């Protein structure tokens, strides 16, 4: 019987590419994001190309009740989720003191609260079945504090910490957990986060960055290999490893300089 993957943030970027990879690997899909039209187009494309069943459940996951409503819809349709991909997320570039509160609050609700609630809702059935997979999209941002994107970096540190803890809690229950940590990647993320204001980002032509498809393929493979923390790319691996060696004060200064440039 084919497995079903529920993917949040499936309407663009890494989530959309993950949907393509899971479909290619013969998973049925539950596609979640706000943009219903984009999800419907993707559903039609993937069901035609790979012969999988795909269901669209469009939600704004910053709404407090959205994870529970999503879970209830999945139950009502008698679907069982074998793979939960908590991928939806966004960032916001700029000094915290002058940030737009609604954007910050939404980021915490989406990047942290919805992801945690969805895990709480879908994990018990996986444990009861003795099988299941959880894939979290964190970031290289998880490994150090992020002046100029203070809340975003902190949300991604949460995802890494939470994901690793769930991996440890469930390793004897037959659950596979991977935390995907990409660095800057081609997608709508950079524009949504206003990161094009950063010289370090705007000076790099976007086609020099890894594609969302490459990152998604890497994340899928990490999940199948049982790799708990999966940092995309050698330079990101070196960078995240080096954060363990550098004194925290120096690290903060270095990141501030990089992020302010
Ligand atoms: N691209 C990068 O440089 C990069 C680097 C490291 C980590 N990441 C992480 O990768 C993940 C995916 O980002 P991406 O790069 O693929 O960016 P993206 O192209 O902007 O995709 C973000 C996805 O999240 C969905 N989303 C946003 N707000 C939502 C909401 N309120 N409710 C439900 N879904 C919502 C969007 O769909 P709708 O707008 O249709 O709702 C979209 O499908 C994020 O967690 C991000 O933090 C990205």
């Amino acid at each position: 019987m084919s497995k079903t993957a529920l993917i949040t943030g499936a309407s663009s970027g890494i989530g959309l590419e993950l949907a393509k990879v899971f479909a290619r690997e013969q998973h049925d899909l539950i596609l979640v994001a706000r943009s219903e039209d984009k999800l419907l187009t993707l559903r039609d494309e993937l069901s035609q190309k790979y012969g999988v069943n795909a269901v669209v459940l469009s939600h704004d996951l910053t709404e407090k009740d959205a994870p529970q409503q999503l879970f209830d819809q999945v139950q009502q349709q008698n679907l069982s989720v074998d793979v939960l991909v908590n991928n939806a997320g966004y960032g916001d570039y700029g000094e915290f003191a002058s940030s737009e509160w609604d954007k910050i609050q939404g980021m915490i609700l989406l990047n942290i609260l919805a992801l945690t609630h969805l895990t709480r809702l879908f994990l018990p059935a996986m444990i009861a079945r003795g099988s299941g997979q959880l894939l979290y999209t964190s970031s290289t941002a998880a490994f150090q504090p992020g002046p100029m994107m203070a809340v975003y970096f902190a949300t991604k540190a949460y995802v890494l910490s939470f994901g690793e803890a769930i991996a440890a809690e469930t390793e004897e229950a037959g659950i596979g957990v991977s935390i995907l940590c990409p660095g800057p990647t081609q997608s709508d993320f950079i524009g949504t986060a206003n990161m094009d204001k950063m010289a370090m980002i705007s000076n790099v032509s976007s086609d020099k960055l890894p594609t969302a498809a490459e990152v998604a393929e890497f994340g899928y493979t990490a999940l199948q290999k049982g790799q708990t923390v999966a940092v995309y790319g050698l330079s990101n691996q070196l960078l995240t490893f080096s954060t363990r060696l550098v004194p925290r004060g120096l690290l903060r200064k270095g990141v501030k300089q990089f992020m302010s440039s």
Side-chain angles (χ1 to χ4, degrees):
M1 214 173 81
S2 27
K3 291 185 175 173
T4 301
L6 185 155
I7 303 173
T8 70
S11 63
S12 77
I14 298 168
L16 182 147
E17 297 297 336
L18 279 165
K20 290 184 184 172
V21 175
F22 277 100
R24 187 193 70 207
E25 300 302 325
Q26 289 303 301
H27 286 68
D28 291 335
L29 299 171
I30 303 169
L31 304 170
V32 182
R34 290 167 303 179
S35 311
E36 190 170 26
D37 48 344
K38 291 188 192 168
L39 295 179
L40 290 170
T41 306
L42 183 66
R43 177 197 68 181
D44 294 346
E45 179 195 325
L46 297 182
S47 49
Q48 269 175 28
K49 190 164 179 192
Y50 299 109
V52 297
N53 292 316
V55 172
V56 166
L57 296 175
S58 113
H59 281 280
D60 181 343
L61 290 172
T62 64
E63 301 279 346
K64 185 175 155 286
D65 298 329
Q68 184 68 53
Q69 286 169 4
L70 176 57
F71 179 75
D72 292 345
Q73 286 172 315
V74 169
Q75 304 301 108
Q76 280 153 16
Q77 300 196 28
N78 279 325
L79 298 167
S80 138
V81 172
D82 303 286
V83 189
L84 173 64
V85 182
N86 268 305
N87 164 78
Y90 71 84
D92 187 32
Y93 179 76
E95 275 177 17
F96 177 71
S98 54
S99 59
E100 207 184 301
W101 179 246
D102 284 352
K103 216 170 169 187
I104 295 294
Q105 182 171 260
M107 196 195 307
I108 296 171
L109 292 170
L110 179 65
N111 299 12
I112 294 183
L113 199 66
L115 165 146
T116 309
H117 196 181
L118 288 172
T119 304
R120 177 64 186 84
L121 290 165
F122 286 102
L123 181 58
M126 293 183 184
I127 294 175
R129 284 197 303 272
S131 70
Q133 291 179 308
L134 301 168
L135 178 62
Y136 294 95
T137 309
S138 174
S139 166
T140 51
F143 294 82
Q144 65 280 300
M148 301 302 283
M149 284 184 89
V151 176
Y152 177 71
F153 275 51
T155 65
K156 292 298 168 178
Y158 174 91
V159 176
L160 178 60
S161 172
F162 176 69
E164 283 197 80
I166 298 302
E169 281 188 21
T170 59
E171 67 189 342
E172 277 139 37
I175 312 296
V177 183
S178 289
I179 303 107
L180 169 62
C181 301
T185 301
Q186 292 178 42
S187 79
D188 293 345
F189 176 86
I190 289 172
T192 307
N194 292 317
M195 282 172 79
D196 26 27
K197 286 183 194 154
M198 271 177 77
M200 294 298 277
I201 292 286
S202 61
N203 287 343
V204 178
S205 126
S206 80
D207 57 13
K208 294 262 184 312
L209 299 177
T211 64
E214 288 165 334
V215 170
E217 198 71 53
F218 173 78
Y220 178 84
T221 305
L223 186 63
Q224 305 321 316
K225 288 200 307 205
Q227 191 180 348
T228 309
V229 180
V231 177
Y232 179 86
L234 184 62
S235 55
N236 289 327
Q237 285 161 11
L238 292 172
L239 194 82
T240 52
F241 181 75
S242 71
T243 61
R244 296 191 215 163
L245 311 172
V246 178
R248 296 294 284 185
L250 206 60
L251 187 62
R252 284 196 296 277
K253 267 196 192 135
V255 183
K256 182 178 172 194
Q257 203 168 20
F258 176 81
M259 296 295 290
S260 308
S261 61

